[in-house]
Amino acid sequence: MMNTTTEHGYAAGRARRDQIIAEATVLFGRLGFHSTTVVEIAAQCGISRAGLLHHFPTKESLLAAVLEERDREDRARFRQNGSASRDGISVLRGMVDLASYNSSLPGIIALYAVLSAEATAEDHPAHAYFTKRYERIRSETRIALEQAKAAGHLVDGVDIPAAAIELTALMDGLQVQWLLAPHRVDMAQQLHQRIQQLLVTRL
Amino acid sequence: MMNTTTEHGYAAGRARRDQIIAEATVLFGRLGFHSTTVVEIAAQCGISRAGLLHHFPTKESLLAAVLEERDREDRARFRQNGSASRDGISVLRGMVDLASYNSSLPGIIALYAVLSAEATAEDHPAHAYFTKRYERIRSETRIALEQAKAAGHLVDGVDIPAAAIELTALMDGLQVQWLLAPHRVDMAQQLHQRIQQLLVTRL
């Protein structure tokens, strides 16, 4: 019986943790990290401030959990789309697929848009996270383009390091325009069109 | 003498107003609109909260003044670069020039990155401003590309409405990467390279 109770306790704790992360994601995305208070997040979860701090002792640790959770989901989605294959095209396809999937998640898009901009300040708790994140995205995009080139998929003369920066920037910039005017901007189509221009193969 | 005193008063008032706008620009850019308090801005100016509210009765009115001032400076810069000519190329050149000029103004870039992301929330005081601003930038870029096409500067087959969205997005996305890694990302060069790909004429 002890065991069952503990397992129930674990499951309830996990469910509560997940709920706190979900509500924090929404509020950070709407108000930014600085303006969102632990009290507001707790209220959205129907618990007390102390109840929340039991799971996440600081707002910074909650932010880290929100970002970790997003990265975990994105990576799972990427793997599911076969981005582990080596011809680069599938990673590029994965970027378009992600843009398409993101179009159903304005809250998450807003979260990243607000946090990445806030985090350009060196004293922001997510500054190191976003600096590394962009390094990683640029590097992964560069590798995908190099693999696509090696497999003969790339048009001649593509400046691969510049294209990696460009595609990363394009995705970010489209998100802000899409959030402000969702019916005017099709993120996935725009990204698909631009990547297709770099390829001799159909994306 | 009365006249001189009044003029002195006007000049001092204008100088104070300019100072408040300058300090607000820095703080909104670092902390975002929501997290910056009127008290902090006043403190940076060496005046009291009441002293600040004499010039700007609400934080929203100060935000409006910050954005107006930026638009005024940007338009002046654009005119100076001869963007009023009708072949479109000069507007495209003006975009690259602006990216280059912006590279000396990380505070302003951060301001726009943070505010535009925050303002995607419908209840943000700058929501209408940014919605209209992007409409305008897309529209001006589209017109510049159409003029460039009419003058024979564009490569065949450019999807002009998509390219207008793309260039606008590219500029925004480059800004966040540049703020996080200024030595890795050359905004003006990236933008120049991409616009050049759309042209048969040298930019």
Side-chain angles (χ1 to χ4, degrees), chain A residues 29-35 110 113-121 123 127 130-131 134-135 138 159 161-170 172-181 184-186 189-190 193-194 197-198, chain B residues 29-35 110 113-121 123 127 130-131 134-135 138 159 161-170 172-181 184-186 189-190 193-194 197-198:
Chain A
R30 189 146 61 82
L31 303 172
F33 172 77
H34 295 304
S35 303
V114 172
L115 286 183
S116 63
E118 276 187 356
T120 60
D123 55 356
H127 182 73
F130 276 102
T131 304
Y134 279 102
E135 288 289 349
R138 282 194 295 262
D159 178 342
I165 293 172
E166 185 202 322
L167 293 178
T168 306
L170 181 57
D172 279 353
L174 287 172
Q175 291 176 358
V176 172
Q177 286 184 66
W178 172 74
L179 286 167
L180 284 165
R184 291 293 181 90
V185 176
D186 186 328
Q189 195 195 315
Q190 288 271 155
Q193 192 166 326
R194 180 60 191 131
Q197 290 165 0
L198 304 175
Chain B
R30 190 146 59 83
L31 302 172
F33 172 77
H34 295 304
S35 304
V114 172
L115 285 183
S116 63
E118 274 187 359
T120 61
D123 54 358
H127 182 74
F130 276 102
T131 305
Y134 279 102
E135 288 289 348
R138 282 193 295 262
D159 178 342
I165 293 172
E166 185 202 320
L167 294 178
T168 307
L170 181 57
D172 279 354
L174 287 172
Q175 292 176 357
V176 172
Q177 286 184 66
W178 172 74
L179 285 167
L180 285 165
R184 292 294 182 89
V185 176
D186 186 329
Q189 195 196 317
Q190 289 271 155
Q193 192 166 327
R194 178 62 190 129
Q197 290 164 0
L198 303 176

Side-chain angles (χ1 to χ4, degrees), chain A residues 39-61:
Chain A
V39 171
E40 282 170 300
I41 300 168
Q44 285 295 320
C45 298
I47 59 177
S48 68
R49 182 172 173 280
L52 189 150
L53 296 177
H54 168 71
H55 294 277
F56 298 99
T58 62
K59 194 166 71 159
E60 283 75 12
S61 65

Side-chain angles (χ1 to χ4, degrees), chain B residues 45-93:
Chain B
C45 298
I47 59 175
S48 68
R49 181 172 173 280
L52 190 150
L53 295 177
H54 169 70
H55 294 276
F56 298 98
T58 61
K59 193 167 72 160
E60 283 75 11
S61 66
L62 178 50
L63 174 62
V66 165
L67 296 174
E68 249 167 49
E69 172 59 20
R70 282 308 307 162
D71 282 349
R72 205 188 54 70
E73 289 179 22
D74 282 358
R75 275 197 304 273
R77 224 188 138 66
F78 240 73
R79 268 197 304 276
Q80 195 186 343
N81 282 291
S83 66
S85 82
R86 292 293 168 94
D87 68 356
I89 290 281
S90 39
V91 175
L92 299 173
R93 257 186 222 125

